[in-house]
Amino acid sequence: MNEGEVYTLRTTSSGRIENQVYSSRVLRSEFDGNWRTVLSKSGYVVYIATSNHAKVEVLLAGGLTKLLVFRRGGKVLVGGGGTSHYSKPHRAITIN
């Protein structure tokens, strides 16, 4: 993303582009090999995308599974109780 570019929420044939979101319904997340992990001072585990098209598959309460796709530098913060924060923009594709 270049400085000054604005991304809006939209639905595409390959998912929905989402801005920054959070969820407390995440039961499990599986990251592909394109992430590095750091621990923040506030106790969050921070996953940082190391390449474009970095993927996370998340299982949500209720059985819904989503594939989230990030650009390089995208972040996922995971806190206690299954709370996850996802940086913007990212693509969300419902798997089932």
Side-chain angles (χ1 to χ4, degrees):
M1 179 167 131
N2 294 325
E3 189 164 315
E5 287 183 357
V6 176
Y7 286 85
T8 59
L9 298 179
R10 65 185 180 273
T11 302
T12 66
S13 60
S14 60
R16 176 185 163 112
I17 303 298
E18 296 182 331
N19 280 319
Q20 188 167 349
V21 297
Y22 75 95
S23 175
S24 59
R25 301 180 324 138
V26 177
L27 300 176
R28 182 175 182 272
S29 296
E30 186 171 332
F31 293 79
D32 69 7
N34 297 309
W35 297 86
R36 70 181 175 96
T37 308
V38 296
L39 184 61
S40 73
K41 291 180 182 181
S42 62
Y44 279 92
V45 177
V46 181
Y47 297 89
I48 303 168
T50 58
S51 67
N52 288 328
H53 307 291
K55 296 176 178 78
V56 182
E57 188 174 311
V58 293
L59 173 62
L60 301 173
L64 186 65
T65 301
K66 290 197 172 207
L67 178 66
L68 306 178
V69 183
F70 291 81
R71 293 181 181 193
R72 182 178 181 186
K75 294 180 182 176
V76 176
L77 286 78
V78 180
T83 300
S84 299
H85 301 265
Y86 304 96
S87 67
K88 59 183 178 180
H90 63 273
R91 183 179 320 139
I93 304 163
T94 300
I95 296 174
N96 65 5

